[in-house]
C-alpha cells in the first residue's frame, strides 16, 4: 500500500493499493471513532461494492445508512444534492457523523459538496472507483454540482479526511471509462512533468496503474499544497477544461468529462500555436498519446457553439478568461485571453 500525504487546510492521507475494500472499516476507524456513516453511491457502483463497504464499516462499529442515486453526470445536480441533505436530516445525521463517497468523480464531487454543506460541514472520506476519481477528483477538495448554465458552478473547497483508492475496483470498469481517466493522467504529464509524459508515451497505463496513480496524486498534492484555493498554480490543473466543459455543455452532458478534456487539450494546444501564444505545436505530442489510450481528439461542435458555452465557465473574470496552454515539453503556462479573442482561439484550435 502506498501513502501520499496532502497538507492543505486539512492534512490527510491518500492510500493507493489493491484488495483492501473489505478492511476499510478498520482503516477508517484509525482516524474516526465509530459513528453513523452515510454511504453515498450511484446505483452501478453500489450494486458492485456497496455491500462490501457496508459490511466492513458495520464490523468496525459504524452504523450505516445509504443514499443511492442513478449513475451519470446528470445526477451531479442541485436536485440530488437537496435529496441528500433531506435524507441526512430525516435520518438524524449529526455533525460528528461521516459521509462516505463510494464511486467515480460524480459521486465524489456531489458527496463532498453535500458534506461541506450539511450542518455546515461533516467529515467525509473518498473511496474512488474510477481511474479519473483516483488520479484527480478525489484529491484536493474541489466539490461541486452543475447548474444549467455550466459545469461545477455551485460548490465548495472542502477536503476529505482520507482517500482510499483500491485499484481492484477498476477491474469492473468498462474499457471506455478506464480510458476517460487516462485523459487526466496525460494532463499531468503535459502540465508539469516531462519525465512522466515520456513514461506515458512508452508504457501502458493499465499495466502500470498503481505507479501511475501514485505519480498523478503526488503531482496534484504538490499543486494543492501550494495553492489550495486556485489563486495561481492550481489553474494549471484546468488544462483542457475550459473548452472541455464547453464540449460537455454543448453535448448536453452526453460526452463524458474525460473525453471532453481530451478534446479540450487538443484544441488548447493547437489554438495556442496557431494564434502565436507559443512557439511549438504540442499536438504532435498529445495526439499519439491520447489516441493510444482510445481518447477522442476531434469535436463535432462549431467554434460559435463552443464559444457561447465557454462564456459561462467559472474561470472567466470580467472580460478575460484564463486558458492553460502547453509552452514546453511537460510544461504549461497560464494565459489570459480577452473574451473577444476566445472565439478565434477556438476556431484556430478546431483544425
Ligand atoms: P462517474 O462518476 O460518472 O463514473 C463513470 C461511470 O462509471 C458511472 O456510470 C459509474 O457508475 C461507473 N463506475 C464507477 N466506478 C465503477 C467501477 N469500479 N466499476 C464499474 N463501473 C463503475 O464519472 P468519472 O469519470 O469518474 O468522473 C467525472 C466527474 O468528475 C465529472 O463530473 C467531473 O467534472 C468531475 N471531476 C472533478 C474533479 C475535481 O477536482 N473535483 C476533477 C476531475 C473531474
Ligand atoms: N481538477 C482540477 C483541480 O482539482 O483543480
Amino acid at each position: 500500500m502506498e501513502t501520499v500525504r496532502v497538507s492543505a487546510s486539512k492534512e490527510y492521507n491518500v492510500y493507493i493499493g489493491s484488495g483492501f475494500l473489505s478492511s476499510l472499516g478498520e482503516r477508517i476507524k484509525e482516524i474516526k471513532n465509530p459513528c453513523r456513516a452515510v454511504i453515498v453511491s450511484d446505483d452501478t457502483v453500489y450494486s458492485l461494492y456497496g455491500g462490501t463497504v457496508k459490511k466492513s464499516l458495520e464490523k468496525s462499529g459504524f452504523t450505516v445508512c445509504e443514499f443511492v442515486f442513478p449513475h451519470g453526470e446528470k445526477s451531479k445536480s442541485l436536485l440530488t444534492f437537496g435529496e441528500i441533505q433531506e435524507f441526512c436530516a430525516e435520518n438524524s445525521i449529526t455533525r460528528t457523523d461521516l459521509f462516505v463517497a463510494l464511486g467515480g468523480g460524480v459521486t465524489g464531487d456531489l458527496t463532498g459538496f453535500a458534506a461541506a454543506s450539511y450542518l455546515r460541514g461533516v467529515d467525509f472520506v473518498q473511496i474512488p472507483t474510477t481511474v479519473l476519481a483516483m488520479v484527480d477528483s478525489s484529491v484536493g477538495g474541489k466539490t461541486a454540482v452543475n447548474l444549467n448554465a455550466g459545469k461545477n458552478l455551485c460548490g465548495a473547497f472542502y477536503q476529505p479526511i482520507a482517500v482510499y483508492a483500491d485499484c481492484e475496483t477498476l477491474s469492473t470498469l468498462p474499457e471506455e471509462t478506464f480510458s476517460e481517466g487516462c485523459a487526466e493522467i496525460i494532463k499531468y504529464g503535459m502540465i508539469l512533468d516531462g519525465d512522466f509524459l515520456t513514461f506515458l508515451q512508452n508504457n501502458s497505463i493499465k499495466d502500470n496503474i498503481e505507479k501511475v496513480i501514485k505519480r498523478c496524486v503526488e503531482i496534484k498534492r504538490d499543486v494543492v499544497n501550494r495553492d489550495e484555493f486556485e489563486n495561481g498554480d492550481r489553474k494549471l490543473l484546468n488544462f483542457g477544461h475550459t473548452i472541455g466543459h464547453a464540449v460537455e455543455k454543448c453535448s448536453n452532458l452526453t460526452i463524458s468529462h474525460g473525453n471532453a478534456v481530451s478534446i479540450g487539450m487538443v484544441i488548447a494546444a493547437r489554438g495556442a500555436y496557431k494564434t502565436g501564444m507559443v512557439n511549438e505545436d504540442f499536438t504532435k505530442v498529445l495526439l499519439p498519446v491520447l489516441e493510444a489510450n482510445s481518447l477522442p481528439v476531434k469535436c463535432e461542435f462549431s467554434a460559435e457553439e463552443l464559444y457561447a458555452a465557454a462564456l459561462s465557465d467559472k474561470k472567466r473574470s470580467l472580460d478575460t478568461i484564463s486558458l492553460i496552454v502547453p509552452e514546453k515539453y511537460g510544461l504549461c503556462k497560464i494565459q489570459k485571453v480577452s473574451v473577444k479573442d476566445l472565439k478565434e482561439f477556438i476556431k484556430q484550435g478546431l483544425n
Side-chain angles (χ1 to χ4, degrees), residues 161-177:
I161 59 169
V163 181
Y164 303 91
D166 184 339
C167 298
E168 211 167 273
T169 61
L170 302 178
S171 63
T172 52
L173 211 55
E175 284 290 325
E176 200 191 330
T177 318

Side-chain angles (χ1 to χ4, degrees), residues 136 142 187 220 230 234 237-238:
D136 196 349
K142 274 193 183 177
K187 173 191 82 177
K220 182 151 189 184
E230 201 174 293
R234 188 165 181 169
L237 297 175
N238 297 327

Side-chain angles (χ1 to χ4, degrees), residues 63-218:
T63 306
V64 179
C65 57
E66 54 274 76
F67 180 91
V68 180
F69 63 89
H71 65 276
E73 185 71 35
K74 290 208 167 141
S75 285
K76 207 175 110 174
S77 64
L78 280 173
L79 182 68
T80 321
F81 167 82
E83 286 170 357
I84 297 174
Q85 303 290 314
E86 294 292 355
F87 174 86
C88 290
E90 278 160 21
N91 283 279
S92 307
I93 299 302
T94 70
R95 196 181 273 159
T96 53
D97 289 328
L98 179 72
F99 282 31
V100 177
L102 172 65
V106 164
T107 302
D109 283 12
L110 178 63
T111 311
F113 186 42
S117 314
Y118 184 69
L119 301 179
R120 301 194 180 89
V122 178
D123 284 347
F124 85 113
V125 293
Q126 291 264 20
I127 308 174
T129 63
T130 63
V131 174
L132 183 144
M134 289 185 189
V135 300
D136 196 349
S137 61
S138 64
V139 180
K142 274 193 183 177
T143 74
V145 296
N146 305 322
L147 300 183
N148 291 335
K151 288 262 311 179
N152 301 332
L153 293 182
C154 177
F157 287 97
Y158 192 67
Q159 304 289 343
I161 59 169
V163 181
Y164 303 91
D166 184 339
C167 298
E168 211 167 273
T169 61
L170 302 178
S171 63
T172 52
L173 211 55
E175 284 290 325
E176 200 191 330
T177 318
F178 189 99
S179 292
E180 287 157 16
C182 296
E184 301 281 12
I185 292 171
I186 294 162
K187 173 191 82 177
Y188 287 112
M190 288 293 296
I191 58 174
L192 277 168
D193 190 342
D195 290 343
F196 184 52
L197 184 57
T198 304
F199 178 85
L200 298 175
Q201 285 173 314
N202 297 315
N203 295 278
S204 145
I205 290 178
K206 200 169 238 171
D207 293 347
N208 295 280
I209 192 67
E210 286 194 33
K211 180 179 170 176
V212 166
I213 291 170
K214 182 173 182 231
R215 183 64 201 132
C216 293
V217 171
E218 285 170 346

